[in-house]
Amino acid sequence: MLGAAITRRVPATPAREPRRSVRVAGAAAVPPPSYWDALEPLLTRVRKPAQYVGGEHNQVARDWGAADTRWLLCYPDTYEVGQPNQGIQILYEVLNERPRTLAERAYAPWVDLEQLQREHGIPAFSLEHHRPLWAFDVFAVTLPHELGHTNLLNLLDLGAVPIHADARGVEDPVVLVGGHAAYNPEPLAPFIDAAVMGDGEEVTLEIDDVLAAWKRDHLDGDATPGPEARRDLLRRLADVEGVYVPAFYEPRYHDDGRLRQTVAVEPGAPALVPKRTVQDLEQWPYPRKQIVPMTETVHERFSVEIFRGCTRGCRFCQAGMITRPVRERRPETIQKLVEDGVRDTGFNEVGLLSLSSADHSAIGAVARDLADSYEGTTTSLSLPSTRVDAFNVTLSNELSRNGRRTGLTFAPEAGSERMRAVINKMVSEADLLRTAELAFSEGWRHIKLYFMVGLPTETDEDVLAIADLGIRTYEIARKHGRANKVTISVGGFIPKPHTPFQWCAQDPPEEIRRKLSLIRHAIKDHGGLKLRTNDPEEGVIEGLLARGDRRVAPVVERAWKLGARFDGWHEMPTLETWMQALEETGVDLDWFSSRERDEKEALPWDHLDSGLDKAWLWEDWQDAQADKELDDCRWSACYDCGVCPGLSIEHDTGYTGGFQLPVLPQGLGGGSQELPTAPERYASDG
Amino acid sequence: MVQRYRIRWTKEARTRFISARDLTSVWERGLRRVDLPIAYSEGFTPHPKVSFPDALPVGFASTGEYAELTFAAPIVPDRDLARLSDTLPAGMDITTYLAVPDGAPKLARMLRATLWELVWPPVDVAELTTLLTRRCDELLAQERAEVVRHRPDGDRTIDVRPAVLALAASARPTAGGDACTVLRAVLRNDGPTVRPTDLHAALSHEDIAEPALYRRVAQGEPVDGGLREALSAAVVPLVPDVDAEAA
Ligand code: SF4
């Protein structure tokens, strides 16, 4: 065969010691090789190759020698899923704005490329210069959920970095994790150097300073740094508020296997690691230079976070609990970020992000002003909001001025009034039906309703109430048009740390499946009412990792070794692999997942402080079991969850200026149909 | 006042991996960034009026892509298309444009033939160039040259010969100081589709490897010795002047 592709010379991965010359600060460093030339010929052989090339608008590609500290920011899933992540985007900007810092990005290669990389000796790489993972000072990974854990191990291994933290030396990157799943990093404890709790903006820059100082002290001189230099780095990191170094803590267990306590064993390591909270979002007006992908991703839009936190207190919701308190961005800042961002990126869609976007105290004005700015243009606005009330419909009407009124999504989460009291989702059936009535009468064609099964204290009656609510909504839909649709989307509940439901038992998949079939059976005579469900087995791994302790770490490692990757993907059914890993490591899934904990038992995340008082959570858990609701503390009296006093801030909502406060209707659902500002604007609208 | 422009653009370097599907949004976002008054289609999901005559397979490079842009208001083409070119990802550049008068023939009709280039890695250069030259002569002397195209939905036999207008193999110096073998071919576009991969199949006889790169060099009217490029009317030679290219 003539002209056969010579195996391109792939730069060799150096042994660990020589890597130190790459890690040195500034121009003295030997720049690591780029793997682009080796990678390029392989890209015609893989799915969606554009995800690996980088080079997008707003990418920052700096010289290696121009930086003293070098970060590789990673979302441990495909580019398609990870690229739109706001956390990575913000940190990418704030780090790269520093004159002596460089940050590049990495995502998980799909299995086809991974196999080729392993065959050809191409390590995990950054997108900007295709530099190898091992060359960076920090490998910082965001964990929005637990299903990226095996990908994290895989990336380390593919990046020629020891997967075990205690095997790493000064020539290896520091492995940091952040994001929601970092609030219980115990199942990853042996693999990470540190977990960073809470908002990343400030703490990331502090870590960068620590790193720069440490490099000056240990890497600049002629002396060869020994293993104690690595330990010194961990110690300095542990001094940064919000940074948890698992190696400095040890779990102690009761004889029966329950956790007694996790204790700090390193002098100076804090007994309780507090989360970080950025108090004023106005100081962090990002993204300003959002990366514009050249290939399809899950969210193709310019996104602005309009507030952080949520105070509704839905008891199942980890995001709502751990991101308290609410901090809003000012309407004029939102407007400016959007206008600049749309111009700079060329995106034709704007997303106003937050956990519950209709809850911004000035959302009416924000929506109106943006809708005015983009009226008659091809720019569309989206507001992911699932609040069940008339206000949300009005808001959606406003935002859809440029488009078609297709689908609205509401999340009553549970079917019966009693169940909604248990989870503290304060929506009445009357609210929902009234909201549906309004939505369909205003021309919306499709309503999606989100529910969960497997909630604590749930009976079959509660489950059947989901079907019932779906049917009633569907009857309303039909009344307004035979083509109108209703979809009920039902997932299995997974208890998460730092929530009042952290003590409860998770339903095993068979039980979830049974409950789903109850619903399916109950709606079978209503052809136009659609049911969407996930595979109940999908919650098994997530549940185990969410509330597992350090004894679950060997399972993660074993599952990865057995080939588990992309655990959240339908294309990659990994449950059997995990079951085998559980068996081989002797870890009892049921003990971790479907066992109710009592008040005395220590939880693996007790030494990580999300700001919520454990006693308060326990009380709320008791209230839940007694079907007692709790009000939203943004609008009504504070109920002392513990977050605010520690931060010496109150919920930061509302501003003096061109609109009234409070703008939200009191209570949920019974709300006004009008946006609170300039209601006359809508007179012609509908 | 509606204005239409036809442009020639490149899809080189990293951008050769962008799929045809993703290209529309890459162009739309570029046009929005430089705020050019591109016209939009009517309807609930308006699309910018940017049309591409045909799709290039993912991974192919090109200096011979074309598009037709319709603007809803006048632009200053020299300035504005240069700005657009600047904001597109590195590797995508607008190299020529031509205003389209009313009643102009369809763009596709101006692209009757394509000059393709197949580039091999810098190995076996002399032997491969000689062998390819012989195979090219043989193919041009034949009446038919059938190859089987393997597709997931079944094999298809196609005759490559009618599409082949000109072929030439040569050795070209590389930036790294080596040389590599390059095959250039002018294929007609107005008959049944023959792809450069089919041409490779017809020449390889199972002993010539897949080229490292396929490139669409230019499109236009076939002429003796090459192709008259559609927008500039300049002749792109079948066998390039190596010294000129290196300069
Ligand atoms: S409204 Fe409820 S479910 Fe939504 S983010 Fe807030 S607490 Fe969580």
Side-chain angles (χ1 to χ4, degrees), chain B residues 206-231:
Chain B
E206 316 270 312
D207 59 12
I208 298 175
E210 275 278 320
L213 188 72
Y214 290 96
R215 173 178 286 118
R216 181 143 76 182
V217 179
Q219 303 183 56
E221 285 293 322
V223 293
D224 264 356
L227 188 85
R228 180 178 292 114
E229 198 273 321
L231 301 188

Side-chain angles (χ1 to χ4, degrees), chain A residues 310-314 316-317 319-320 355-356 359 413 425:
Chain A
C310 181
T311 45
R312 293 196 166 252
C314 306
F316 56 86
C317 178
L355 288 173
S356 175
D359 285 353
E413 307 287 5
K425 193 91 195 183

Side-chain angles (χ1 to χ4, degrees), chain A residues 639-685:
Chain A
Y639 41 80
D640 243 358
C641 69
V643 169
C644 295
L647 294 166
S648 68
I649 48 176
E650 306 266 303
H651 294 299
D652 182 11
T653 64
Y655 315 91
T656 48
F659 54 93
Q660 294 168 298
L661 287 172
V663 296
L664 272 191
Q666 291 297 316
L668 282 172
S672 151
Q673 294 178 24
E674 281 144 11
L675 289 175
T677 43
E680 66 279 5
R681 296 196 61 88
Y682 311 108
S684 59
D685 204 21

Side-chain angles (χ1 to χ4, degrees), chain A residues 146-147 537-546 567 574-575 578:
Chain A
E146 292 78 6
L147 297 176
E537 318 240 278
E538 278 174 18
V540 173
I541 302 164
E542 191 177 341
L544 170 72
L545 297 175
D567 292 308
T574 56
L575 188 63
W578 279 86

